[in-house]
Amino acid sequence: MGLLAVNARNQFRGHIQEIIEGPVVSEVDVITPSGLVVTAVITTRSVDELNLCVGREVVALVKSTEVSIAIL
């Protein structure tokens, strides 16, 4: 499946900065050229199947139906 087939309008190109693997899910930090860090929580199985590793160029696809904000 190519990127054009994905229904996610917000796409951030970058490189994997860190992967924190868990037994079921893993956190993947992607750093963009502007220094923005986007963190994805995906299954550890997907990390393995996509052969993700630190330094690999990826695209973080963001699709959300809700964003909440709270005051401090």
Side-chain angles (χ1 to χ4, degrees), residues 42-70:
I42 64 174
T43 63
T44 301
R45 182 178 184 175
S46 292
V47 171
D48 295 338
E49 288 177 357
L50 292 168
N51 296 317
L52 298 182
C53 61
V54 172
R56 182 161 187 186
E57 185 176 19
V58 294
V59 176
L61 305 167
V62 180
K63 184 174 182 181
S64 176
T65 58
E66 178 181 341
V67 176
S68 299
I69 297 176

Side-chain angles (χ1 to χ4, degrees), residues 7 10 12 17-18 25 27 29 32 35 42 50 55 68 71-72:
N7 185 16
N10 299 307
F12 300 93
Q17 182 179 42
E18 182 179 17
V25 295
E27 293 180 37
D29 290 342
T32 67
I42 64 174
L50 292 168
S68 299
I71 58 172
L72 300 175

Side-chain angles (χ1 to χ4, degrees), residues 1-33:
M1 172 178 23
L3 286 178
L4 295 177
V6 176
N7 185 16
R9 294 182 185 266
N10 299 307
Q11 301 179 9
F12 300 93
R13 186 177 294 267
H15 290 85
I16 295 178
Q17 182 179 42
E18 182 179 17
I19 299 174
I20 302 172
E21 277 197 36
V24 178
V25 295
S26 297
E27 293 180 37
V28 180
D29 290 342
V30 177
I31 188 161
T32 67

